[in-house]
Amino acid sequence: MKTESVLEKVLASGNLAVTSECGPPRGTNAEIIKAKGELLKGKVDAVNVTDNQTAMVRMSSFAANVFLKQAGLNPILQMVTRDRNRLAMQADILGAYAHGINTMLCLSGDHPSFGDHPMAANVHDIDSVQFIQMVKKMRDEGKFQGGADIDNPPKMFIGAAANPFADPFELRVARLAKKVAAGVDFIQTQCIYNLDKFEKWMEGVRARGLHEKCYILAGVTPMKSAGMARYMKNKVPGMDVPDEVVKRMAGVPKEKMADEGIDICVESIQRLKEVEGVAGFHIMAIEWEKKVPEIVERAGLLPRPTVS
Amino acid sequence: MITAERKPLEELIEYVRPYDRILLVGCNECVTVCAAGGRKEVGLLASALKMAFAKEGKTIDIKELTLERQCDPEYIEELVPHIEDVDAVMSMACGCGVQEIAKRFKNIPVFPAVNTKFMGASEQQGIWAERCQGCGDCLLGLTGGICPIARCSKHLMNGPCGGSTNGKCEISPDVDCVWQLIWDRLKALGMEDRYEEIIPAKDWRTAGGGGPRKIIREDLAE
Amino acid sequence: MENFEPIIVAFCCQYCPYTAADTAGTQRLCYPANLKIIRVPCAGKVDAMHILKAFEKGADGVVVAACLEGDCHFETGNIKAARRVSYIKKLMEEIGVEGERLEMVMLSAGMGDRFAEMATEVTEKIRKLGPSPINLNTSSQKQEAC
């Protein structure tokens, strides 16, 4: 075991892991994050906390992580390279680890032009692959990126994202291989709606044995409405929503759409369970955290295993 | 070349408003090529400023002069005979030219007429696009001759990110995904293996992170 | 103001529009004498500087007359002229002179009647706009100087 991370322990035990996600509030009300935490407690193994998602300012992932940790959850510190240089990133990793946060996700982040501060400087001192290398060096060599020794190095279980649906498709496995070579421990994928394409990607992943070098958590997001399905299909870069999914959502009465979205999500998880190399699920219920327990239960993923 | 674009006339009018006699100085190098500050643009701007003030009933005397190069003190000397007769200088060169004039003439205000944009190449007549950020440690040998620092919206040295769609960047369908271009080129060259070599975190000191940069060629410097 | 006679400079390509002006003459069509025609080898040759100088030197309006689309003797001179005209219109707005004072027209050599019509329309339009704001102030200054 590389770390004390509960997520690592669940994955190492051979159980399918379940993670979910919390968006911190656009303000200082800690009750919001605590309430979201309560909904997820005992239903998932770990909870990602986004870092200024879609380049909109929110309470810091670090602070929200601390609230979740205090409430007895296992938070995952998401961190993007967009907003901080390597000094600030390493400083936050030290601080987070000192607060008992031992799992993190290394991302580049959405471009500032999508958010509410398009005028902000776009830092990107390092990219997500170099970010993984940096956190691994901190953990395994006990050294900062700059080379100096760390007193009591942070032992982070290192995650990253992968999008099997972006272009060029032929690079998608190769890019994962780069993240694996950099030292990533687990991967959470982009939301999967096109299961055929995901399975094709997984074939490539297995062909190179990458699923044995890192844990792959399949990402799913329940749709609330046909409008959301269309929005995801047309407006979200790198998202692949097949027409059948949009049609299925649009084919039910408005008041039934949310249920249909949950059904699709649960069915997807059932099918993905059969895919060799899928080590668990990352359920991103965007501002819909209350539905996560139902999805986890209906997908047959409860109770969550206890690990020590 | 260094590219530039004329500032809004409104801003320029306010710069020169307090003065009666202006020396408007163009540059024959990059800004001529990108049609921002060569002899022709100097003529147009002089005419435009004269008209803008004439409309208010004010006559402004604008002397036009275009130097071979404004980033070279040798050529700046050519301004000496003209500087006595003017109240202010407006430069249509890039930021380098404006500063050379400011350095040479201590007692006369100098104003920029253009916004210096980036180092780029012309894609077609009238269209220039960024190609280089002058990072001081060229990566082009690793990336098929296409720069991810200047041309990836996130400066990803190990891209593409998850937002690459149909060869375009997530920020706009008008922006090419540079990692798609790099990949296509590596494939065409039969150098696909190159892609999986991780490019390590960059030392930004050479890019300006180490303070203002300078090149000293000892064989040439006196 | 009532007696205002605008000065309009018309840059006419020698191939079509200039011939159209001739045709108008041989057809004995009447059109206002406000247009001062300058014969140019191609409308595409009319530089931004020529247009701007015309205004600076006192024109109330400027017309750039080119051949019909597809008829340019130099293939795309007329298209280039049209683009240049819209660029100069924007610059004129920045200066504070109405962009409508600059007009782009396309004519064939046989369109003598259209040329006469255009000359009348443009003259009327500029007459309505009044003297160029540049002339307004410079002429008043001249009077003060006297």
mmCIF file of all heavy atoms in Angstrom, chain B residues 6 8-9 40 43-44 47-48 50-52 54-57 59, chain C residues 47-49 52-53 55-56 91 94-96 133-134 137-138 141:
data_model
loop_
_atom_site.group_PDB
_atom_site.id
_atom_site.type_symbol
_atom_site.label_atom_id
_atom_site.label_comp_id
_atom_site.label_asym_id
_atom_site.label_seq_id
_atom_site.Cartn_x
_atom_site.Cartn_y
_atom_site.Cartn_z
ATOM 1 N N ARG B 6 -3.218 48.852 -34.606
ATOM 2 C CA ARG B 6 -3.381 50.246 -34.187
ATOM 3 C C ARG B 6 -4.344 50.341 -32.999
ATOM 4 O O ARG B 6 -5.345 49.639 -32.957
ATOM 5 C CB ARG B 6 -3.907 51.116 -35.328
ATOM 6 C CG ARG B 6 -4.102 52.568 -34.916
ATOM 7 C CD ARG B 6 -4.488 53.475 -36.057
ATOM 8 N NE ARG B 6 -5.695 53.090 -36.766
ATOM 9 C CZ ARG B 6 -6.938 53.281 -36.301
ATOM 10 N NH1 ARG B 6 -7.146 53.846 -35.124
ATOM 11 N NH2 ARG B 6 -7.976 52.893 -37.016
ATOM 12 N N PRO B 8 -7.232 52.167 -30.663
ATOM 13 C CA PRO B 8 -8.414 52.943 -31.054
ATOM 14 C C PRO B 8 -8.048 54.430 -31.177
ATOM 15 O O PRO B 8 -7.296 54.952 -30.355
ATOM 16 C CB PRO B 8 -9.395 52.727 -29.900
ATOM 17 C CG PRO B 8 -8.914 51.505 -29.194
ATOM 18 C CD PRO B 8 -7.446 51.426 -29.421
ATOM 19 N N LEU B 9 -8.593 55.069 -32.199
ATOM 20 C CA LEU B 9 -8.259 56.466 -32.455
ATOM 21 C C LEU B 9 -8.560 57.349 -31.243
ATOM 22 O O LEU B 9 -7.829 58.279 -30.926
ATOM 23 C CB LEU B 9 -9.041 56.946 -33.684
ATOM 24 C CG LEU B 9 -8.478 58.187 -34.366
ATOM 25 C CD1 LEU B 9 -7.083 57.930 -34.888
ATOM 26 C CD2 LEU B 9 -9.393 58.637 -35.494
ATOM 27 N N LYS B 40 2.780 53.706 -44.760
ATOM 28 C CA LYS B 40 1.393 53.892 -45.175
ATOM 29 C C LYS B 40 0.477 54.162 -43.982
ATOM 30 O O LYS B 40 -0.369 55.061 -44.010
ATOM 31 C CB LYS B 40 0.955 52.609 -45.873
ATOM 32 C CG LYS B 40 -0.288 52.729 -46.649
ATOM 33 C CD LYS B 40 -0.372 51.540 -47.580
ATOM 34 C CE LYS B 40 -1.740 51.503 -48.218
ATOM 35 N NZ LYS B 40 -1.814 50.432 -49.199
ATOM 36 N N GLY B 43 0.891 57.621 -42.669
ATOM 37 C CA GLY B 43 0.137 58.592 -43.464
ATOM 38 C C GLY B 43 -1.335 58.594 -43.112
ATOM 39 O O GLY B 43 -1.949 59.650 -42.919
ATOM 40 N N LEU B 44 -1.898 57.387 -42.975
ATOM 41 C CA LEU B 44 -3.328 57.286 -42.648
ATOM 42 C C LEU B 44 -3.632 57.859 -41.277
ATOM 43 O O LEU B 44 -4.600 58.598 -41.096
ATOM 44 C CB LEU B 44 -3.763 55.815 -42.690
ATOM 45 C CG LEU B 44 -3.989 55.186 -44.050
ATOM 46 C CD1 LEU B 44 -4.317 53.706 -43.889
ATOM 47 C CD2 LEU B 44 -5.129 55.892 -44.774
ATOM 48 N N SER B 47 -3.369 61.659 -41.200
ATOM 49 C CA SER B 47 -4.548 62.250 -41.829
ATOM 50 C C SER B 47 -5.765 62.140 -40.904
ATOM 51 O O SER B 47 -6.518 63.100 -40.723
ATOM 52 C CB SER B 47 -4.798 61.529 -43.152
ATOM 53 O OG SER B 47 -5.902 62.056 -43.787
ATOM 54 N N ALA B 48 -5.932 60.969 -40.301
ATOM 55 C CA ALA B 48 -7.073 60.751 -39.409
ATOM 56 C C ALA B 48 -7.015 61.693 -38.206
ATOM 57 O O ALA B 48 -8.025 62.289 -37.816
ATOM 58 C CB ALA B 48 -7.108 59.294 -38.954
ATOM 59 N N LYS B 50 -5.434 64.570 -37.968
ATOM 60 C CA LYS B 50 -5.644 65.952 -38.417
ATOM 61 C C LYS B 50 -7.129 66.230 -38.590
ATOM 62 O O LYS B 50 -7.626 67.272 -38.166
ATOM 63 C CB LYS B 50 -4.917 66.191 -39.748
ATOM 64 C CG LYS B 50 -3.433 66.498 -39.588
ATOM 65 C CD LYS B 50 -2.842 66.867 -40.942
ATOM 66 C CE LYS B 50 -1.455 66.288 -41.086
ATOM 67 N NZ LYS B 50 -0.982 66.266 -42.468
ATOM 68 N N MET B 51 -7.813 65.253 -39.199
ATOM 69 C CA MET B 51 -9.254 65.452 -39.406
ATOM 70 C C MET B 51 -10.010 65.481 -38.086
ATOM 71 O O MET B 51 -10.908 66.298 -37.900
ATOM 72 C CB MET B 51 -9.796 64.358 -40.306
ATOM 73 C CG MET B 51 -9.550 64.621 -41.762
ATOM 74 S SD MET B 51 -10.587 63.569 -42.779
ATOM 75 C CE MET B 51 -9.487 62.210 -43.052
ATOM 76 N N ALA B 52 -9.640 64.580 -37.185
ATOM 77 C CA ALA B 52 -10.340 64.524 -35.893
ATOM 78 C C ALA B 52 -10.212 65.856 -35.163
ATOM 79 O O ALA B 52 -11.175 66.338 -34.560
ATOM 80 C CB ALA B 52 -9.783 63.385 -35.049
ATOM 81 N N ALA B 54 -9.402 68.814 -36.696
ATOM 82 C CA ALA B 54 -10.007 69.840 -37.541
ATOM 83 C C ALA B 54 -11.497 69.958 -37.241
ATOM 84 O O ALA B 54 -12.073 71.037 -37.231
ATOM 85 C CB ALA B 54 -9.785 69.512 -39.007
ATOM 86 N N LYS B 55 -12.113 68.817 -36.984
ATOM 87 C CA LYS B 55 -13.538 68.768 -36.645
ATOM 88 C C LYS B 55 -13.834 69.620 -35.417
ATOM 89 O O LYS B 55 -14.904 70.194 -35.265
ATOM 90 C CB LYS B 55 -13.900 67.310 -36.366
ATOM 91 C CG LYS B 55 -15.306 66.946 -36.663
ATOM 92 C CD LYS B 55 -15.473 65.442 -36.717
ATOM 93 C CE LYS B 55 -15.157 64.734 -35.418
ATOM 94 N NZ LYS B 55 -16.009 64.948 -34.289
ATOM 95 N N GLU B 56 -12.849 69.650 -34.496
ATOM 96 C CA GLU B 56 -13.025 70.454 -33.274
ATOM 97 C C GLU B 56 -12.525 71.880 -33.490
ATOM 98 O O GLU B 56 -12.479 72.668 -32.552
ATOM 99 C CB GLU B 56 -12.215 69.825 -32.124
ATOM 100 C CG GLU B 56 -12.658 68.433 -31.778
ATOM 101 C CD GLU B 56 -11.743 67.798 -30.722
ATOM 102 O OE1 GLU B 56 -10.871 68.514 -30.176
ATOM 103 O OE2 GLU B 56 -11.915 66.601 -30.460
ATOM 104 N N GLY B 57 -12.043 72.159 -34.683
ATOM 105 C CA GLY B 57 -11.553 73.510 -34.964
ATOM 106 C C GLY B 57 -10.099 73.701 -34.586
ATOM 107 O O GLY B 57 -9.600 74.830 -34.525
ATOM 108 N N THR B 59 -6.032 72.992 -35.289
ATOM 109 C CA THR B 59 -5.078 72.544 -36.294
ATOM 110 C C THR B 59 -3.917 71.898 -35.561
ATOM 111 O O THR B 59 -3.399 72.458 -34.602
ATOM 112 C CB THR B 59 -4.538 73.736 -37.110
ATOM 113 O OG1 THR B 59 -5.648 74.575 -37.425
ATOM 114 C CG2 THR B 59 -3.868 73.274 -38.381
ATOM 115 N N ASP C 47 -6.253 53.850 -53.115
ATOM 116 C CA ASP C 47 -5.688 53.555 -51.804
ATOM 117 C C ASP C 47 -6.518 54.214 -50.699
ATOM 118 O O ASP C 47 -7.188 55.228 -50.931
ATOM 119 C CB ASP C 47 -4.263 54.091 -51.766
ATOM 120 C CG ASP C 47 -3.480 53.501 -50.624
ATOM 121 O OD1 ASP C 47 -3.537 54.063 -49.504
ATOM 122 O OD2 ASP C 47 -2.835 52.470 -50.843
ATOM 123 N N ALA C 48 -6.422 53.633 -49.512
ATOM 124 C CA ALA C 48 -7.073 54.231 -48.342
ATOM 125 C C ALA C 48 -6.638 55.683 -48.194
ATOM 126 O O ALA C 48 -7.435 56.564 -47.831
ATOM 127 C CB ALA C 48 -6.706 53.437 -47.104
ATOM 128 N N MET C 49 -5.378 55.911 -48.493
ATOM 129 C CA MET C 49 -4.809 57.250 -48.345
ATOM 130 C C MET C 49 -5.483 58.243 -49.295
ATOM 131 O O MET C 49 -5.726 59.391 -48.932
ATOM 132 C CB MET C 49 -3.306 57.139 -48.673
ATOM 133 C CG MET C 49 -2.465 58.242 -48.124
ATOM 134 S SD MET C 49 -2.543 58.261 -46.344
ATOM 135 C CE MET C 49 -2.769 59.998 -46.108
ATOM 136 N N LEU C 52 -8.873 59.125 -47.796
ATOM 137 C CA LEU C 52 -8.732 59.949 -46.593
ATOM 138 C C LEU C 52 -8.266 61.361 -46.948
ATOM 139 O O LEU C 52 -8.759 62.350 -46.398
ATOM 140 C CB LEU C 52 -7.742 59.268 -45.639
ATOM 141 C CG LEU C 52 -8.226 59.131 -44.205
ATOM 142 C CD1 LEU C 52 -9.597 58.512 -44.146
ATOM 143 C CD2 LEU C 52 -7.247 58.318 -43.376
ATOM 144 N N LYS C 53 -7.320 61.447 -47.868
ATOM 145 C CA LYS C 53 -6.814 62.773 -48.269
ATOM 146 C C LYS C 53 -7.929 63.607 -48.908
ATOM 147 O O LYS C 53 -7.992 64.819 -48.710
ATOM 148 C CB LYS C 53 -5.627 62.632 -49.238
ATOM 149 C CG LYS C 53 -4.310 62.334 -48.534
ATOM 150 C CD LYS C 53 -3.763 63.565 -47.786
ATOM 151 C CE LYS C 53 -2.554 63.161 -46.927
ATOM 152 N NZ LYS C 53 -2.259 64.143 -45.873
ATOM 153 N N PHE C 55 -11.045 63.582 -48.172
ATOM 154 C CA PHE C 55 -11.824 64.161 -47.069
ATOM 155 C C PHE C 55 -11.034 65.248 -46.348
ATOM 156 O O PHE C 55 -11.565 66.302 -46.014
ATOM 157 C CB PHE C 55 -12.252 63.071 -46.082
ATOM 158 C CG PHE C 55 -13.424 62.264 -46.548
ATOM 159 C CD1 PHE C 55 -13.280 60.933 -46.900
ATOM 160 C CD2 PHE C 55 -14.685 62.847 -46.645
ATOM 161 C CE1 PHE C 55 -14.360 60.181 -47.331
ATOM 162 C CE2 PHE C 55 -15.783 62.100 -47.074
ATOM 163 C CZ PHE C 55 -15.609 60.759 -47.429
ATOM 164 N N GLU C 56 -9.756 64.956 -46.120
ATOM 165 C CA GLU C 56 -8.935 65.926 -45.389
ATOM 166 C C GLU C 56 -8.860 67.250 -46.138
ATOM 167 O O GLU C 56 -8.859 68.313 -45.532
ATOM 168 C CB GLU C 56 -7.532 65.334 -45.183
ATOM 169 C CG GLU C 56 -6.726 66.045 -44.112
ATOM 170 C CD GLU C 56 -5.256 65.592 -44.098
ATOM 171 O OE1 GLU C 56 -5.000 64.396 -44.340
ATOM 172 O OE2 GLU C 56 -4.393 66.441 -43.859
ATOM 173 N N LEU C 91 -12.965 53.658 -40.039
ATOM 174 C CA LEU C 91 -11.980 54.647 -39.598
ATOM 175 C C LEU C 91 -12.623 56.033 -39.535
ATOM 176 O O LEU C 91 -12.372 56.809 -38.617
ATOM 177 C CB LEU C 91 -10.769 54.632 -40.543
ATOM 178 C CG LEU C 91 -9.628 55.602 -40.226
ATOM 179 C CD1 LEU C 91 -9.072 55.373 -38.819
ATOM 180 C CD2 LEU C 91 -8.491 55.469 -41.237
ATOM 181 N N GLU C 94 -14.526 56.477 -36.486
ATOM 182 C CA GLU C 94 -13.602 56.727 -35.366
ATOM 183 C C GLU C 94 -13.183 58.189 -35.331
ATOM 184 O O GLU C 94 -13.033 58.778 -34.269
ATOM 185 C CB GLU C 94 -12.344 55.855 -35.511
ATOM 186 C CG GLU C 94 -12.457 54.453 -34.972
ATOM 187 C CD GLU C 94 -11.083 53.818 -34.826
ATOM 188 O OE1 GLU C 94 -10.604 53.224 -35.830
ATOM 189 O OE2 GLU C 94 -10.472 53.922 -33.753
ATOM 190 N N ILE C 95 -12.962 58.750 -36.531
ATOM 191 C CA ILE C 95 -12.553 60.160 -36.609
ATOM 192 C C ILE C 95 -13.701 61.074 -36.187
ATOM 193 O O ILE C 95 -13.496 62.164 -35.684
ATOM 194 C CB ILE C 95 -12.094 60.495 -38.060
ATOM 195 C CG1 ILE C 95 -10.844 59.684 -38.432
ATOM 196 C CG2 ILE C 95 -11.830 61.981 -38.242
ATOM 197 C CD1 ILE C 95 -10.506 59.707 -39.923
ATOM 198 N N GLY C 96 -14.932 60.570 -36.396
ATOM 199 C CA GLY C 96 -16.092 61.385 -36.068
ATOM 200 C C GLY C 96 -16.724 61.982 -37.315
ATOM 201 O O GLY C 96 -17.429 62.985 -37.265
ATOM 202 N N PRO C 133 -18.039 67.683 -41.339
ATOM 203 C CA PRO C 133 -17.709 68.364 -40.067
ATOM 204 C C PRO C 133 -16.302 68.960 -40.090
ATOM 205 O O PRO C 133 -16.027 69.923 -39.359
ATOM 206 C CB PRO C 133 -17.833 67.259 -39.024
ATOM 207 C CG PRO C 133 -17.951 65.975 -39.759
ATOM 208 C CD PRO C 133 -18.430 66.285 -41.123
ATOM 209 N N ILE C 134 -15.455 68.433 -40.933
ATOM 210 C CA ILE C 134 -14.090 68.962 -41.023
ATOM 211 C C ILE C 134 -14.116 70.334 -41.703
ATOM 212 O O ILE C 134 -13.513 71.283 -41.229
ATOM 213 C CB ILE C 134 -13.195 67.978 -41.808
ATOM 214 C CG1 ILE C 134 -13.052 66.702 -41.003
ATOM 215 C CG2 ILE C 134 -11.834 68.592 -42.114
ATOM 216 C CD1 ILE C 134 -12.768 65.493 -41.833
ATOM 217 N N ASN C 137 -15.600 73.425 -39.508
ATOM 218 C CA ASN C 137 -14.727 74.141 -38.587
ATOM 219 C C ASN C 137 -13.573 74.839 -39.270
ATOM 220 O O ASN C 137 -13.203 75.932 -38.878
ATOM 221 C CB ASN C 137 -14.206 73.196 -37.514
ATOM 222 C CG ASN C 137 -15.186 73.122 -36.364
ATOM 223 O OD1 ASN C 137 -15.510 74.135 -35.773
ATOM 224 N ND2 ASN C 137 -15.683 71.945 -36.092
ATOM 225 N N THR C 138 -13.029 74.217 -40.301
ATOM 226 C CA THR C 138 -11.898 74.867 -40.964
ATOM 227 C C THR C 138 -12.370 76.109 -41.708
ATOM 228 O O THR C 138 -11.699 77.124 -41.696
ATOM 229 C CB THR C 138 -11.178 73.904 -41.923
ATOM 230 O OG1 THR C 138 -12.150 73.156 -42.616
ATOM 231 C CG2 THR C 138 -10.239 72.983 -41.196
ATOM 232 N N GLN C 141 -12.922 78.858 -39.286
ATOM 233 C CA GLN C 141 -11.620 79.394 -38.862
ATOM 234 C C GLN C 141 -11.108 80.390 -39.878
ATOM 235 O O GLN C 141 -10.589 81.429 -39.538
ATOM 236 C CB GLN C 141 -10.616 78.254 -38.747
ATOM 237 C CG GLN C 141 -10.455 77.746 -37.341
ATOM 238 C CD GLN C 141 -9.381 76.682 -37.285
ATOM 239 O OE1 GLN C 141 -9.018 76.106 -38.300
ATOM 240 N NE2 GLN C 141 -8.875 76.440 -36.105
#
